[in-house]
Amino acid sequence: MVARMKLSAGEMSKILAVPNVATPLGLRDRAILEVFYSCGMRRNELISLWVKDVDFDRGTVFIRCGKGSKDRYVPIGERALFWLRLYLGTVRPRFVGEKYPHHLFLSSVGTPICPDWLCRKVRACLIRAGINKKGSCHLLRHSVATLMLEGGADIRYVAEMLGHARLETTQRYTRVSIDRLRAVHAVSHPAAGLDVAMAAELCALVPGG
């Protein structure tokens, strides 16, 4: 069996640095990539997020009707939350309209982003980052799982976070609490933390920051 490609933490850093965060669209795209990378969710799950699904106090995201119509909570790192706060405070108010007041990520004309656009955006970021690997959204999702496992996370927690119903093909896993899942995420995900000094510098660069 041919091994799947994955992105290293260094390659992910290059991808995340592609959007120009001094522009509204660039800041939105950075927030999208950070959430995608932090949570490892499916593309349809990401574009379906509502603002109320993000719990900044608990550090979790509620995914409604994921694959198999199953709801679940997933942890989100401090760095992704930082970018979300910037997006929600300075960019989303410019985009939101009456028709889609709840969706988290919006286009510049106030419509929810679509799956094909998201795949094209991720693919474009890979190319601009100089990364010659096939894939797009699923490559990011696969890389999150691999990096967390390499960081010492138990496969059961990774499966719970990604919304997998089974380990491998038949082995079932036991449910884990969101508090334990957040703890595992914090110690095994390379983007779970926030560089405070970097955050302060970025706040001075973003539009309206």
Side-chain angles (χ1 to χ4, degrees):
M1 180 179 293
V2 178
R4 285 182 177 179
M5 286 187 177
K6 74 174 183 69
L7 299 166
S8 68
E11 288 173 327
M12 276 305 312
S13 294
K14 291 180 181 179
I15 293 169
L16 294 169
V18 167
N20 179 6
V21 298
T23 68
L25 290 176
L27 180 51
R28 178 206 59 190
D29 294 347
R30 178 64 185 262
I32 288 173
L33 291 172
E34 289 282 358
V35 172
F36 215 163
Y37 181 38
S38 184
C39 300
M41 61 184 68
R42 299 176 178 90
R43 66 174 187 173
N44 285 336
E45 294 171 343
L46 184 140
I47 66 178
S48 298
L49 290 176
W50 285 16
V51 175
K52 69 177 183 180
D53 294 331
V54 182
D55 189 329
F56 286 89
D57 293 331
R58 294 188 65 198
T60 60
V61 175
F62 179 56
I63 296 177
R64 292 170 286 107
C65 296
K67 190 173 182 180
S69 298
K70 295 181 179 178
D71 299 338
R72 72 184 189 280
Y73 285 95
V74 297
I76 182 169
E78 287 295 329
R79 195 174 79 187
L81 289 175
F82 164 78
W83 286 104
L84 263 183
R85 285 189 182 96
L86 288 181
Y87 163 71
L88 288 171
T90 64
V91 176
R92 188 178 178 277
R94 306 183 186 189
F95 296 166
V96 67
E98 295 182 0
K99 192 172 182 179
Y100 300 101
H102 304 298
H103 282 77
L104 178 59
F105 292 117
L106 298 168
S107 71
S108 59
V109 294
T111 57
I113 60 175
C114 67
D116 288 343
W117 177 90
L118 184 58
C119 285
R120 291 194 302 270
K121 174 60 65 174
V122 172
R123 186 66 203 153
C125 287
L126 262 75
I127 293 172
R128 289 182 59 190
I131 298 171
N132 186 26
K133 292 182 178 179
K134 295 181 179 179
S136 180
C137 294
H138 192 72
L139 176 60
L140 261 66
R141 180 172 156 84
H142 173 69
S143 300
V144 169
T146 305
L147 288 168
M148 288 186 66
L149 289 170
E150 291 176 348
D154 189 293
I155 191 171
R156 293 174 302 161
Y157 299 121
V158 176
E160 175 75 3
M161 176 175 161
L162 299 184
H164 288 166
R166 296 175 180 272
L167 296 180
E168 299 177 339
T169 55
T170 59
Q171 181 184 3
R172 299 188 65 85
Y173 65 92
T174 57
R175 297 284 295 182
V176 295
S177 71
I178 184 61
D179 290 336
R180 177 56 183 156
L181 189 52
R182 284 180 56 211
V184 171
H185 181 274
V187 300
S188 63
H189 196 301
L194 173 66
D195 186 324
V196 178
M198 176 204 72
E201 292 180 7
L202 287 170
C203 283
L205 295 176
V206 300

